[in-house]
Amino acid sequence: MSTQIAVRFQVGAGNGVPLFGRFSYDRADPYAVRAQFFAHDAVLPTWCFDRQMLAEGLHRPVGEGDVTFRPQGEDGGRVVRIELRDSEGGQGAVLLVAASAVSGFLDETYAVTAPGDETVDVDGFLAELLARRYP
């Protein structure tokens, strides 16, 4: 399942540049949320977030390194601030997403896989991996 959400790419102290983000969830990878951002005709790299960390980012600052989330704005956060950095910790991007949109998307993911019901088919994963490696 996926949903498109309006995103603002924060540039300095200005209002930011409007983007769209396609947030996706697949029960086959129950701990992950994938987000792909679009600017005009350009498709930017896909990021993979931890679903629980995204949920916690609605209420408190979480994460370190490449990805961080924190509520921002009045009343505990009308938006979620997502900070993305490259793997060397260099230049990054700040994205602002309406907290209500993130919450709504997470509710849809919980309808697919409730928190705490996540499972990973380790045996199936190993069988698939070995089948590819040793045909």
Side-chain angles (χ1 to χ4, degrees), residues 36-114:
Q36 187 171 40
F37 301 101
F38 302 86
H40 303 289
D41 293 334
V43 178
L44 305 174
T46 299
W47 286 80
C48 186
F49 305 142
D50 177 271
R51 181 172 75 154
Q52 182 60 36
M53 195 166 90
L54 179 59
E56 289 177 17
L58 287 166
H59 307 288
R60 65 180 183 86
V62 295
E64 58 184 53
D66 295 353
V67 179
T68 62
F69 303 97
R70 71 178 166 98
Q72 182 173 309
E74 301 169 11
D75 302 324
R78 294 189 328 240
V79 298
V80 176
R81 179 185 175 103
I82 303 172
E83 294 186 34
L84 307 172
R85 299 203 182 281
D86 64 22
S87 59
E88 284 99 42
Q91 197 153 12
V94 174
L95 304 170
L96 303 176
V97 185
S100 60
V102 172
S103 182
F105 169 74
L106 288 169
D107 287 345
E108 290 179 32
T109 72
Y110 298 150
V112 175
T113 306

